[in-house]
Amino acid sequence: MGSIPDREFDRFMGLGECAFRPKGSRLLEPGVRCDRLFFFDTGIARSFYLREGKDVTVSFTRPGEFVTSMASFITGEPSYEGLEIIADAQVWCVCREALMGLVQQDLFWAEVYRRALEEYYVRVEEAFIFSKFKSARERYEELIRTGPEIIQSASIGHIASYLGISLETLSRIRGSR
């Protein structure tokens, strides 16, 4: 999104609050309306949903990144996904109402919000390509290259789920490296 001037960033951060969240805690449960945007100063989280009684990891959030259940945040409908801390985190959050107030009254923040939505769309499209057009080995190698902290923090089950492969397949890939 480019750099945000310190004064504007401080204004934005003043809308929310920061708190420590231990590993295993949940920022959002599936089926609950998400009206918060989270920013990770430290730590790692995973986004997941439940499908036929199984927990499926769909993404990871690292320090310096924002996360929310975008569909729920925008529509106000209950979220299909949950957000779980997988490495102790210092997390800042702002409610949707405060953020939308800022976006509606300030063209600078309206532009930042528009660019953030564009970046989110690009990430979703890249994730689709990642999951559909790359082999299991290619997906694992890319995760090692782009997210070594995820490899260190996430359980092997969460990694396999994120990659869309079984634990056995992940073990074979890891064993052949």
Side-chain angles (χ1 to χ4, degrees):
M1 278 191 330
S3 87
I4 295 173
D6 289 344
R7 188 176 130 239
E8 289 294 334
F9 189 75
D10 290 344
R11 182 174 164 210
F12 179 66
M13 296 299 272
L15 296 176
E17 57 186 39
C18 196
F20 173 78
R21 301 293 179 116
K23 177 181 178 176
S25 63
R26 299 264 175 101
L27 296 174
L28 176 66
E29 294 289 342
V32 175
R33 187 172 66 90
C34 183
D35 65 351
R36 302 262 189 265
L37 175 68
F38 304 97
F39 176 78
F40 277 69
D41 191 35
T42 63
I44 299 174
R46 73 183 185 100
S47 297
F48 68 96
Y49 65 92
L50 302 175
R51 181 177 177 196
E52 298 172 4
K54 293 182 105 175
D55 176 314
V56 180
T57 299
V58 293
S59 67
F60 294 99
T61 302
R62 298 175 275 191
E65 295 180 342
F66 288 93
V67 68
T68 190
S69 174
M70 191 61 77
S72 181
F73 188 78
I74 290 171
T75 66
E77 296 294 319
S79 175
Y80 62 88
E81 66 185 312
L83 301 170
E84 178 183 39
I85 304 294
I86 62 170
D88 289 352
Q90 194 69 32
V91 181
W92 173 87
C93 72
V94 64
C95 72
R96 183 183 193 287
E97 186 177 311
L99 178 60
M100 291 299 103
L102 183 62
V103 166
Q104 290 171 357
Q105 67 184 229
D106 190 315
L107 286 176
F108 173 81
W109 285 105
E111 176 66 12
V112 169
Y113 185 68
R114 182 191 63 79
R115 286 184 290 163
L117 290 175
E118 288 174 350
E119 287 182 15
Y120 175 79
Y121 176 81
V122 169
R123 282 195 311 271
V124 168
E125 186 174 290
E126 288 172 346
F128 175 77
I129 291 166
F130 176 84
S131 69
K132 299 293 182 192
F133 299 108
K134 292 187 178 186
S135 71
R137 177 172 300 286
E138 288 171 325
R139 294 191 306 267
Y140 182 67
E141 295 292 336
E142 187 170 328
L143 183 59
I144 288 172
R145 185 174 42 75
T146 62
E149 66 279 15
I150 293 168
I151 297 292
Q152 294 171 356
S153 298
S155 73
I156 190 166
H158 293 157
I159 293 169
S161 174
Y162 171 70
L163 296 174
I165 60 178
S166 68
L167 287 170
E168 295 78 15
T169 299
L170 180 56
S171 293
R172 277 195 304 276
I173 291 170
R174 291 174 70 179
S176 68
R177 287 191 85 234

